[in-house]
Amino acid sequence: MTSTDPSTDRESVTVVTIDHRHGTTVSAHRTEEGAQRVLHEHAEMWWHELADDPGPIPTIPAAAIEEYFARHPSEFYTTEAVELQD
C-alpha cells in the first residue's frame, strides 16, 4: 500500500517476495490490491502443481492465495511495507 507518513512525508510501497523452485520473485506495489493481484496471479498460474487433481481454485482471490501457499510444499511468500528513501 502506498502511504505518506505526515511526520516524514515519505511514501511507502508493499514489497512482495515469492520463493519458489525456480528462485525468488520480488515486486513492489503502490497498493495492497496490486500486491494481492500478483500473489493471486502466481497461485492461478501454478495451481496445477498442488496435486494430480488439485480441484478448482477458489473464486475469491484471498482464499486462493491462502490455500495455494498452505498446500504447496515448497513455496512461500512475504509482504512488507517499505518506506521509499528518495
Side-chain angles (χ1 to χ4, degrees):
M1 137 178 51
T2 301
S3 63
T4 303
D5 180 345
S7 65
T8 63
D9 289 330
R10 291 191 176 156
E11 270 190 303
S12 65
V13 295
T14 299
V15 175
V16 175
T17 304
I18 303 171
D19 288 293
H20 48 82
R21 69 179 173 171
H22 301 289
T24 302
T25 302
V26 178
S27 56
H29 306 272
R30 294 183 188 277
T31 65
E32 182 64 30
E33 293 80 13
Q36 292 297 304
R37 185 173 46 253
V38 76
L39 288 167
H40 186 241
E41 288 170 355
H42 180 86
E44 284 182 313
M45 179 179 294
W46 299 104
W47 188 261
H48 67 277
E49 286 192 350
L50 294 180
D52 289 339
D53 183 14
I57 189 168
T59 57
I60 299 170
I65 293 164
E66 181 178 341
E67 185 173 341
Y68 176 80
F69 286 100
R71 289 177 58 192
H72 201 289
S74 62
E75 292 192 8
F76 60 93
Y77 75 95
T78 60
T79 60
E80 181 179 5
V82 176
E83 186 178 273
L84 299 175
Q85 297 299 310
D86 56 19

